[in-house]
């Protein structure tokens, strides 16, 4: 056998072993080839691929770079170099490698898909979408690219489009567990919790050891109010990964809903020990009376809550919770409004339920909310002259406008101590300017953080806080403002003016 025949035979054996996952044996054969022929591109390149497959990205970078030095015109080597750079957290360098691979081989689907992954990591989402679509155009059956396209669409909250992408991925690969899991996540975001649950169950039939799917399943069960089953699902996740902070947190939330508060407290503490956000965990503990309540709800908690809720906010509030605050507040406010149009700011405007009622009285109407997803919904109502995505406290402190009316409907349930808010509101209102708002009513304590994680305030507290900051209460009404699990929630509606 000639040397050339021997090298060909060794390479064929090595490739077969590598494809079967026998990396050590394949590596030995590639090294034999390189001993006989040090400038063999295939052996050097595939040795680098093995290094990456076995978790050695720095060595992969060195070996694939040497292979490119032998033959710089091989697109697949540039693509694999990009993958190693991506593993080493060098996304811009990886991007340049993928671009070179695509230059050498037009329509190179794998490089286009990997390029999309890098762009997504850089939060260049529109460019990532374009790259994934090019990969799919080059290879319509590329299930991974369909799945990745769906992931970016989900990030952009284009959930209906994401759903179609995952479904296309599954048409080409019905056993694609990642796509099934992502499908469940998007169905969850669309509030189709039963279908999400079915999708997670399909994932777990294929890969029963996936802690993330068990955790996702628990979250769907929680939304369906099957709290005990949710706890069991979280337990399965924690049996696989005992330090899964999200599973500890979800389990604690379900235990709280079951009123198993001591167990819930232990769960929250475990979640924090495993890396869950300390501010949000302490907030949950405060709602259970374990630690002192903060001055306000954590901003990240409020933003995440309403970003998830935005697409179904109006229908859920009005149909499920019998939410009446905007209409009730307007009924209370209307007799106090002057004949002339006012400049109005809607603090915590959400999807614009109040804005639609305020527009008729506004010369200018500005909306402020911490949730970008809620503001997207508000924008569609076309009743605001401007919308600002910012915490209302920060907005009030920085605002240079002077308004005739400020409104805060169902906002102060996320703020305990109202002193700073009232003081800041006084600075943005004209003399005699009106401030209309709602609170959940506390019948005894000035401020109480309830188990619902919503603050309630007493009428006496509102009276003294208003007076301390230069306001006079014109009218206060006690009303049922919504329902919670079928029970009436009483609130106070207030109209006051600045001296």
């Amino acid at each position: 056998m000639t040397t050339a025949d021997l090298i060909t035979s060794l390479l064929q054996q090595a490739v077969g072993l590598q494809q079967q996952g026998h990396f050590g044996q394949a590596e030995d054969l590639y090294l034999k080839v390189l001993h006989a022929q040090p400038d063999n591109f295939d052996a050097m390149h595939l040795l680098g691929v093995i290094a990456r497959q076995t978790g050695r990205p720095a060595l992969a970078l060195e070996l694939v770079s040497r292979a490119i030095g032998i033959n710089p015109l091989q697109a697949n080597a540039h693509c694999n170099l990009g993958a190693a750079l991506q593993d080493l957290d060098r996304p811009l360098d990886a991007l340049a490698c993928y671009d070179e691979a695509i230059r050498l081989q037009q329509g190179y689907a794998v490089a286009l898909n990997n390029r999309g992954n890098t762009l997504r990591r850089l939060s260049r989402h529109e460019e990532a979408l374009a790259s994934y679509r090019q990969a799919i155009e080059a290879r319509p059956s590329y299930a991974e690219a369909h799945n990745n396209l769906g992931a970016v669409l989900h990030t952009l909250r284009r959930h209906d489009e994401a759903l179609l992408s995952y479904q296309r991925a599954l048409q080409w690969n019905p056993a694609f567990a990642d796509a099934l899991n992502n499908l469940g996540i998007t169905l969850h975001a669309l509030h189709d919790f039963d279908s999400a649950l079915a999708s997670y169950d399909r994932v777990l039939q294929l890969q029963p050891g996936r802690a993330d799917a068990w955790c996702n399943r628990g979250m769907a069960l929680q939304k369906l109010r099957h709290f005990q089953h949710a706890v069991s699902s979280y337990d399965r996740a924690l049996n696989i990964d005992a330090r899964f902070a999200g599973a500890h947190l979800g389990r604690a939330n379900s235990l709280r809903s079951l009123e198993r508060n001591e167990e819930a407290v232990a769960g929250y503490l475990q979640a924090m020990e495993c890396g869950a956000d300390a501010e949000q965990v302490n907030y949950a503990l405060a709602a259970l009376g374990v630690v002192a309540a903060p001055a306000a709800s954590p901003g990240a908690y409020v933003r995440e809550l309403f970003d998830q809720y935005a697409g179904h906010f109006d229908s859920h509030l009005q149909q499920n919770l019998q939410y009446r605050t905007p209409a009730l507040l307007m009924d209370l406010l209307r007799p106090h409004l002057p004949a002339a149009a006012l400049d109005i700011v809607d603090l915590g405007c959400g999807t614009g339920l109040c804005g639609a009622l305020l527009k008729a009285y506004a010369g200018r109407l500005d909306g402020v909310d911490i949730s970008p997803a809620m503001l997207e919904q508000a924008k569609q109502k076309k009743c605001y002259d401007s919308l600002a995505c910012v915490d209302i406290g920060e907005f009030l402190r920085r605002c240079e406008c002077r308004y005739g009316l400020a409104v805060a409907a169902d906002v102060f349930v996320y703020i305990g101590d109202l002193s700073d808010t009232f003081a800041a509101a006084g600075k943005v209102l004209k003399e005699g300017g009106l401030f209309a708002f709602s609170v959940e009513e506390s019948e005894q304590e000035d401020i109480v953080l309830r188990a619902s994680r919503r603050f309630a305030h007493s009428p006496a507290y509102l009276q003294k806080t208003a007076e301390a900051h230069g306001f006079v209460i014109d009218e206060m009404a006690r009303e049922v403002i919504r329902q919670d699990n079928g029970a009436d929630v009483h609130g106070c509606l207030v109209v006051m003016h600045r001296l």
Side-chain angles (χ1 to χ4, degrees):
M1 181 182 291
T2 65
T3 300
D5 291 338
L6 176 62
I7 287 172
T8 300
S9 174
L10 289 170
L11 284 172
Q12 287 175 344
Q13 292 176 60
V15 168
L17 288 164
Q18 186 173 357
Q19 290 172 343
Q20 295 168 36
H22 301 308
F23 299 125
Q25 293 170 269
E27 196 170 66
D28 288 342
L29 293 178
Y30 288 135
L31 288 170
K32 285 183 179 179
V33 172
L34 290 171
H35 181 74
Q37 192 178 74
D39 62 348
N40 187 285
F41 167 83
D42 288 327
M44 189 72 73
H45 175 222
L46 293 173
L47 200 58
V49 172
I50 285 180
R52 180 170 182 265
Q53 288 174 316
T54 53
R56 297 172 289 167
L59 179 59
L61 179 64
E62 178 189 343
L63 292 168
V64 178
S65 295
R66 288 166 64 184
I68 289 172
I70 297 167
N71 185 348
L73 301 180
Q74 295 296 316
N76 59 345
H78 289 280
C79 186
N80 285 322
L81 186 66
L85 287 162
Q86 208 163 326
D87 292 343
L88 292 165
D89 199 23
R90 293 169 56 182
L92 293 176
D93 292 332
L95 200 60
C97 290
Y98 295 134
D99 286 340
E100 178 63 11
I102 294 160
R103 187 190 70 79
L104 290 167
Q105 183 178 322
Q106 296 296 312
Y108 186 1
V110 172
L112 286 162
N113 179 66
N114 289 359
R115 182 176 182 273
N117 292 340
T118 303
L119 289 164
R120 176 167 45 143
R121 187 170 180 179
L122 292 166
S123 296
R124 291 160 58 177
H125 294 126
E126 292 299 331
E127 293 173 83
L129 291 177
S131 200
Y132 290 135
R133 287 182 175 127
Q134 288 175 308
I136 290 165
E137 183 179 354
R139 191 198 300 173
S141 62
Y142 199 171
E144 186 179 343
H146 285 290
N147 178 57
N148 291 334
L149 178 65
V152 177
L153 290 166
H154 178 87
T155 298
L156 296 172
R157 300 189 187 92
R158 292 160 59 177
H159 298 309
D160 290 331
E161 295 173 77
L163 208 63
L164 288 173
S165 289
Y166 297 136
Q167 289 168 344
R168 290 188 184 112
L170 291 164
Q171 284 173 1
W172 293 109
N173 182 1
F176 192 172
D178 283 348
L180 281 166
N181 193 55
N182 287 339
L183 178 69
I185 291 168
T186 295
L187 288 164
H188 189 113
L190 290 167
H191 287 220
D192 186 353
F193 304 119
D194 286 306
S195 296
L197 185 62
S199 193
Y200 298 136
D201 284 340
R202 288 174 64 195
V203 175
L204 292 165
Q205 287 172 0
L206 294 165
Q207 296 179 352
R210 282 190 66 147
D212 61 335
W214 282 111
C215 184
N216 290 340
R217 184 176 185 273
M219 288 191 286
L221 287 163
Q222 198 170 322
K223 288 293 187 180
L224 292 165
R225 305 190 65 78
H226 301 324
F227 299 118
Q228 186 55 59
H229 291 303
V231 170
S232 298
S233 201
Y234 291 127
D235 284 340
R236 292 291 296 270
L238 292 168
N239 286 339
I240 297 163
D241 180 359
R243 296 192 58 79
F244 192 163
H248 280 295
L249 195 58
R251 183 177 183 274
N253 288 334
S254 290
L255 288 166
R256 177 180 57 83
S257 296
L258 291 166
E259 299 184 354
R260 291 160 58 181
N261 289 348
E262 288 187 11
E263 294 172 83
V265 168
Y268 286 127
L269 292 173
Q270 285 179 300
M272 187 156 54
E273 194 272 328
C274 290
D277 183 85
E279 185 181 31
Q280 294 197 41
V281 172
N282 278 324
Y283 183 58
L285 291 170
L288 291 172
V290 177
V291 299
S297 308
Y301 165 77
V302 178
R303 186 182 303 109
E304 183 180 346
L305 176 68
F306 286 102
D307 276 352
Q308 293 175 357
Y309 205 9
H312 298 78
F313 183 77
D314 292 4
S315 60
H316 180 70
L317 282 184
Q318 293 167 337
Q319 295 171 18
N320 296 58
L321 302 183
Q322 306 300 308
Y323 180 66
R324 306 169 63 212
T325 302
L328 291 171
L329 193 57
M330 281 305 303
D331 288 345
L332 191 73
L333 175 62
R334 203 170 282 113
H336 301 276
L337 292 171
L342 297 169
D343 288 345
I344 303 173
V345 60
D346 186 0
L347 301 169
C349 65
T351 62
L353 290 174
C354 269
L357 302 175
L358 291 166
K359 185 64 176 174
Y361 305 95
R364 176 179 178 83
L365 178 59
D366 297 329
V368 182
D369 203 276
I370 197 173
S371 163
M374 297 289 272
L375 289 175
E376 283 297 318
Q377 298 294 317
K379 187 186 296 184
Q380 294 175 22
K381 290 189 171 66
K382 298 182 178 178
C383 55
Y384 294 97
D385 295 290
S386 75
L387 290 166
C389 187
V390 65
D391 172 80
I392 65 169
E394 183 179 345
F395 174 85
L396 291 170
R397 287 190 296 273
R398 296 184 178 182
C399 181
E400 297 181 358
C401 299
R402 291 294 176 268
Y403 294 99
L405 169 63
V407 175
D410 206 39
V411 174
F412 296 157
V413 293
Y414 299 107
I415 303 175
D417 185 348
L418 296 175
S419 296
D420 288 347
T421 304
F422 280 19
K427 293 177 182 177
V428 305
L429 285 171
K430 298 175 181 176
E431 184 178 337
L434 296 168
F435 193 9
F437 60 88
S438 67
V439 298
E440 289 189 8
E441 183 184 7
S442 170
E443 295 181 357
Q444 295 179 338
E445 299 176 70
D446 279 356
I447 306 169
V448 60
L449 178 60
R450 291 175 165 161
S452 63
R453 304 188 201 184
R454 294 163 66 92
F455 287 98
H457 304 81
S458 72
Y461 171 79
L462 299 175
Q463 182 72 53
K464 67 184 179 185
T465 308
E467 291 174 359
H469 294 285
F471 286 99
V472 173
I473 292 181
D474 299 306
E475 193 169 354
M476 184 184 299
R478 184 175 185 267
E479 297 277 0
V480 174
I481 56 175
R482 67 183 183 93
Q483 291 191 326
D484 188 7
N485 293 328
D488 289 344
V489 176
H490 291 90
C492 292
L493 307 171
V494 180
V495 177
M496 59 190 192
H497 72 270
R498 175 183 173 271
L499 292 173

